[in-house]
Amino acid sequence: MILSKFVDELPIPPILKPRWKDQFHTYYEVNMTEFKQSLHSELNDTTVWGYEGSYPGPTIEVESGEKVFIKWINNLPDKHLLPVDYTVHGAHVDVPEVRTVVHVHGASVEWESDGYPEAWFTKGFKQVGPYFRKQIYRYDNYDRACTLWYHDHALGITRLNVYAGLAGFYLIRDHRERLLNLPSGKYDIPLMIQDKTFNKDGSLYYPKQPQKPVPELETSIVPEFIGDTILVNGKVWPYLKVEPRKYRFRLLNASNTRFYRLKLDSGQLFYQIGTDGGLMQHPIGVKEITLAPAERADVIIDFTNLEGKNIIMTNDAPAPFPTGDPPDENTGTVMQFRVTLPLSNIDTSVIPSYMGPLPKIKEQSASKIRYLTLNDNMDKYGREFMLLDNKQWDAPITENPKLGSTEIWYLINLTTATHPIHLHLIDFQILDRRDFDVEKFKKERIIQYTGPAIPPEPQERGWKDTVRANPNQVTRIIMKFGPYTGLYVWHCHILEHEDYEMMRPYIVIR
């Protein structure tokens, strides 16, 4: 069943209104419910989960330094919308089937409000996980202007909760960004890109078994999820009518597994102005942008003098990345821009030549270096399962950076896939990537490099919270831990890997 492309208009999620706001703090309530929504005009309405009755959830917009309190409320049914594998950590039959906890991805936040995977809660907070501490989360928003997103993070079912629709944008704005005169207001549009597969009746399809089924289990986790349909902001292959002027788009890959390598079929450039953690020092003009799951790119596209043109955003990233199949004409298409609206006023917005300093963290300032492996293992059912540093989630904590200290982490990828590695709490900088001899490392635990250090790609030269760790490479990142102490996590952001079991706690100590 192939749905027609570019028949539905791109939805733009509404900005969430606070319940209370004064000069000291802002208070929101966000309800999670199950509802039906039209994801394509040729499909029956699809049952999804969402925040505040919409998928994606409403955009939360805050000012840098604003004290924000959010009560995340679970009003979901007791039965999951999608097939649950009870053999996965944190999802055994001893816990309620539907659990939620919300993480604002990229936020600098106290650990009790970070959405720790075992801080889950059920409807009406009737049952809570062992690390649940509070009903109302606090966000101090000490970050510079940036594009963040919020999504579910419950241990063992994150892949299902996010796929069901629990994701939305969280934007931080600041004065410095406003002075740059970037495209703003209705010309600043977030784009959440995801892949899904639908059943004939319009319902969401999620596999019950991997390609090689596990006979002992009714439902088994799959090593990756690759959908056959691309959605932007919760619509299948939408179109957006634009004026012949500059627009700012905040691109987010919110897929479970799929990577995107985005291009415009007009051959024109994306002017990238920001990475995960905010604005870059200088904009760069690039023909293509690669986004692993959870990565963001802040770009300006200039439609000036393109009146009447239709421009398609395409994708040519293999799935799984980087060794899987190339996309077909469906998964190779993302959305369409139609330059059909009249110019409502003269475009005075700019692509600034300089956006502000971006001090490099010096390698000499690191007080600790950690060598951490990305591993592929087999479980007792013969299923692949992925680990960080070859340790399971429940193993004792081994990463305990000191508050205010700087560390370098060597991510040593021993698998055949690229893993987007995400650290909670902090932003880091990518130092370099370097080819090494995997077989020698597996035998002797020695890193023997087989090539020169490769600097980060131009599109990664900024603050990051998620990095692509490629196969046969050691990826080095540097970061300063703070401003909070406490319990956080780091994990692969391929959700099927994170759930099984490529996630580890870490603790920031005094």
Side-chain angles (χ1 to χ4, degrees), residues 143-148 172-183 188 248-250 271-284 296-300 350-352 354-359 427 429 458-464:
D143 310 77
R144 48 194 105 56
C146 55
T147 303
L148 309 181
I172 300 183
R173 305 207 173 263
D174 69 19
H175 184 60
R176 204 183 87 194
E177 181 193 52
R178 274 191 283 275
L179 293 176
L180 292 172
N181 194 19
L182 301 166
D188 173 358
R248 176 182 185 179
F249 294 104
R250 299 158 186 269
Y271 295 98
Q272 186 179 352
I273 56 171
T275 53
D276 302 340
L279 296 171
M280 300 156 80
Q281 194 162 350
H282 302 278
I284 54 172
R296 284 90 68 210
D298 203 335
V299 303
I300 291 173
V350 297
I351 301 170
Y354 175 74
M355 289 169 296
L358 211 150
D427 282 332
Q429 292 175 4
Q459 69 156 81
E460 305 175 304
R461 290 180 198 168
W463 292 105
K464 295 281 292 164

Side-chain angles (χ1 to χ4, degrees), residues 79 215 229 237 267 324 401 432:
K79 188 93 192 79
T229 309
W237 294 307
D432 49 37

